[in-house]
Amino acid sequence: MNKTIRQQIFARLQAHNPHPTTELEYDTPFQLLIAVLLSAQATDVGVNKATRVLFQVAPTPDKMYALGVAGLEAYIKTIGLYRTKAKNSIETCRILLAQHGGEVPESREALEALPGVGRKTANVVLNTAFGHPTIAVDTHIFRVSNRTRLAPGKDVREVEDKLLRFVPAEYKQDAHHWLILHGRYVCKARKPDCERCVIADLCEYPAKPL
Ligand code: SF4
């Protein structure tokens, strides 16, 4: 795929959705961090349902830490892997309070040192809470990048590195939200909805029915 087509793809996605953002509900970087931690192998809808109640009771690291693991589990048990996620979240609160003054650190290294926080979660927090032009490659972005040939790669890191190289600078901040939403709602895993795709004429998926 050449530079002009990549430019056109993002111009189209932007025209279609000028202000994309995460579908996770949050008010602060801390709440975003916890919501992303809870969202691994779960849907944003399911996470939002639980956090709407949880964040009323425990909106900050000290209040969440005070719940303890069992107390937190009671609020998130509708979410998959909730026991591990409760343990990681409480330990994250403890570290934020002990080492970061109760704030979420704006650094990849410090974020990735938190339990349950990998490169993808750190990228989401850096991008969405702090405005860094990072790109978090999840299953949707991996699929869309490969199918369209926008940034083909054999693993998520290769796709991330290529996207960081290939996405035009003016689109980098919002690229991951556009690609996630496109993958979630249009370029779906089982059957891509090519008929209603706004980038169908630009996409280089060999099997697209157009
Ligand atoms: S044309 Fe089809 S395969 Fe290509 S991006 Fe659109 S939905 Fe995905």
Side-chain angles (χ1 to χ4, degrees), residues 9 143-144 147-148 182-183 186-188 191-210:
I9 284 181
R143 181 177 67 255
V144 171
R147 250 187 205 158
T148 56
H182 190 66
V186 183
C187 194
K188 292 176 274 193
K191 193 174 178 304
D193 207 348
C194 304
E195 284 78 15
R196 50 177 283 268
C197 174
V198 296
I199 57 166
D201 56 320
L202 305 168
C203 166
E204 296 178 3
Y205 181 41
K208 69 178 178 182
L210 296 164

Side-chain angles (χ1 to χ4, degrees), residues 67-197:
L67 287 177
V69 174
L72 178 55
E73 280 178 1
Y75 288 97
I76 63 169
K77 62 183 173 215
T78 51
I79 301 173
L81 309 174
Y82 73 96
R83 285 186 197 279
T84 307
K85 290 174 180 176
K87 218 169 102 221
N88 285 340
S89 298
I90 293 298
E91 180 59 7
T92 285
C93 292
R94 191 192 66 73
I95 295 172
L96 294 181
L97 292 165
Q99 298 178 15
H100 302 289
E103 301 291 332
V104 174
E106 193 179 339
S107 124
R108 173 184 302 287
E109 203 190 359
L111 284 167
E112 288 186 12
L114 299 169
V117 177
R119 186 173 180 87
K120 190 181 79 179
T121 299
N123 277 334
V124 174
V125 173
L126 288 171
N127 175 280
T128 307
F130 296 118
H132 293 218
T134 55
I135 298 181
V137 178
D138 73 345
T139 177
H140 298 299
I141 296 191
F142 184 72
R143 181 177 67 255
V144 171
S145 300
N146 274 291
R147 250 187 205 158
T148 56
R149 312 302 290 165
L150 178 67
K154 60 186 178 319
D155 55 41
V156 291
R157 189 57 197 268
E158 190 180 350
V159 169
E160 179 185 328
D161 290 344
K162 282 194 183 171
L163 286 170
L164 288 173
R165 251 191 3 255
F166 294 157
V167 175
E170 67 269 37
Y171 299 117
K172 228 169 242 172
Q173 174 66 40
D174 288 327
H176 97 259
H177 290 128
W178 281 316
L179 295 174
I180 284 178
L181 294 169
H182 190 66
R184 191 176 284 166
Y185 296 112
V186 183
C187 194
K188 292 176 274 193
R190 290 253 184 97
K191 193 174 178 304
D193 207 348
C194 304
E195 284 78 15
R196 50 177 283 268
C197 174

